[in-house]
């Protein structure tokens, strides 16, 4: 089982949106994913609750609400229950919980909007994540059309030593609309650009997690 934590101190950058999309896409790829919702708002958990029971196109996933002190127990449960990919959605402004989530993950994904306030807030997130020593990458999310903002954000983040994924997730109404009835975009508009970007993000995340595993094997 591999564990991915979505972490950012900045509210509204897309942690939950990307967490549920990655989980649903992993299921479509034949994995057995599970979501641990560490945010009291429980948006990811509620999204899963809206998924239709028995609908084979968008069936309910394994999802639970928890606090970070339960993570080790939940990871053990996940292994026992044959979960392949555990996705941790975290709350903003929660240093300790975010740090514990990152600590218990194999890799950390940090969504960041390519906008000034989001970039300013990134330093505190990077401090928390770097302290865990876990592999981490930023994904530029909800980017508007046009390359300039994305290029500037990438440059600013790389100048402070951050890894920024090649895949950029743009601002797609479909990403939001799909969630209304508990779907993800590849279950809602599978041929659309948003679904294509989620698939590319999933590929990048899989590679990030695979690198971690390879390193672990190399050190054993
Ligand atoms: N790529 C995107 N395209 C369009 N809308 C997006 C995208 N990513 C996120 N959003 C929208 O932005 C809002 C905030 O997203 P989300 O709730 O996923 O952020 P969050 O980081 O989980 O927030 P919080 O820190 O409050 O938990 C939501 O309305 C969501 O639908
Ligand atoms: Mg959230």
């Amino acid at each position: 089982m591999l564990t991915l934590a979505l972490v950012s101190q900045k509210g509204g950058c897309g942690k939950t949106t990307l967490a549920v999309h990655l989980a649903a896409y992993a299921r479509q790829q034949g994995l057995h994913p599970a979501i641990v919702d560490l945010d009291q708002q429980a948006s990811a958990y509620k999204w899963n609750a809206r998924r239709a029971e028995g609908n084979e196109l968008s069936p309910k996933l394994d999802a639970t609400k928890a606090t970070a002190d339960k993570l080790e127990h939940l990871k053990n449960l996940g292994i026992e229950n044959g979960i392949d990919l555990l996705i941790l959605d975290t709350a903003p402004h929660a240093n300790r919980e975010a740090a514990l989530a990152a600590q218990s993950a194999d890799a950390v994904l940090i969504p960041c909007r390519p906008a000034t306030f989001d970039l300013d807030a990134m330093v505190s997130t990077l401090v928390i994540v770097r302290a865990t020593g876990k592999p981490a990458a930023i994904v530029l999310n909800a980017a508007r059309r046009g390359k300039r903002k994305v290029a500037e954000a990438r440059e600013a983040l790389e100048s402070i030593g951050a890894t920024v994924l090649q895949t950029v997730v743009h601002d797609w109404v479909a990403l939001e609309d799909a969630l209304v009835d508990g779907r993800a975009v590849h279950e809602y508009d599978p041929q659309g650009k948003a679904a294509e970007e989620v698939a590319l993000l999933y590929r990048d995340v899989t590679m990030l997690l695979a690198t971690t595993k390879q390193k672990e094997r190399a050190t054993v």
Side-chain angles (χ1 to χ4, degrees), residues 2 10 28 50 87 130 138 166 168 170 181 215:
L2 290 166
K10 183 84 173 81
Q28 206 189 57
R50 289 197 296 276
I87 295 186
R130 282 178 179 155
I138 294 173
Q166 273 312 311
V168 174
H170 287 91
D181 60 0
K215 278 196 195 130

Side-chain angles (χ1 to χ4, degrees), residues 88-100:
L88 314 179
D89 185 23
T90 64
H93 320 299
N95 301 21
R96 187 177 167 273
E97 291 272 300
L100 288 171

Side-chain angles (χ1 to χ4, degrees), residues 8-19 39 41 43 89-93 111 113 141-143 169-177 179 197:
S8 170
Q9 293 300 93
K10 183 84 173 81
C13 62
K15 294 177 289 296
T16 304
T17 303
L18 298 182
D39 188 347
Q41 285 189 45
S43 305
D89 185 23
T90 64
H93 320 299
R113 288 177 183 254
N141 179 45
V169 180
H170 287 91
D171 187 344
W172 299 112
V173 176
L175 276 178
E176 206 165 339
D177 287 352
L179 305 179
E197 289 181 358

Side-chain angles (χ1 to χ4, degrees), residues 144-153 170:
R144 303 243 168 84
R145 247 43 78 208
K147 296 198 168 113
R148 189 176 57 86
K149 282 267 179 201
V150 166
E152 283 173 5
H170 287 91

Side-chain angles (χ1 to χ4, degrees), residues 6 18 29 42 52 57 64 68 100 110 139 148 159 190 192 199 204:
L6 282 97
L18 298 182
Q29 296 303 298
L57 290 178
T64 186
L100 288 171
I110 307 169
V139 55
R148 189 176 57 86
S159 77
D204 284 3

